Amino acid sequence: DRRLMTRRLASEFLCVSHATWSRWAAERTGPPFFKFHDGEAGSVRYPSDLMAAFVESRIKQPKAK
């Protein structure tokens, strides 16, 4: 399933703030996205399957005692 999410929907999906998205964008560490137009005003969409993969890639196991 490859539904496309706006940044707002993707933010709600991940429960992260606008500030976090801005930092990820500046650092290029956030989830992968499509950009449909060149320049600053380009329309950005986040594929739902890649958002799920982004979440899975961040899973950490607790350290053993």
Side-chain angles (χ1 to χ4, degrees):
D1 183 17
R2 182 161 267 196
R3 283 181 269 163
L4 299 177
M5 296 184 213
T6 62
R7 181 172 283 180
R8 182 174 156 205
L9 288 175
S11 180
E12 290 173 10
F13 177 78
L14 294 179
C15 300
V16 298
S17 69
H18 179 72
T20 298
W21 280 106
S22 296
R23 183 172 43 80
W24 284 349
E27 297 171 354
R28 296 192 174 268
T29 58
F33 59 89
F34 292 113
K35 190 167 185 180
F36 293 103
H37 303 285
D38 291 333
E40 284 295 313
S43 180
V44 172
R45 295 293 182 267
Y46 297 85
S48 57
D49 59 332
L50 297 181
M51 291 289 292
F54 178 78
V55 170
E56 292 292 324
S57 73
R58 290 337 185 239
I59 292 176
K60 306 290 185 204
Q61 295 295 322
K63 292 183 179 180
K65 291 185 179 184

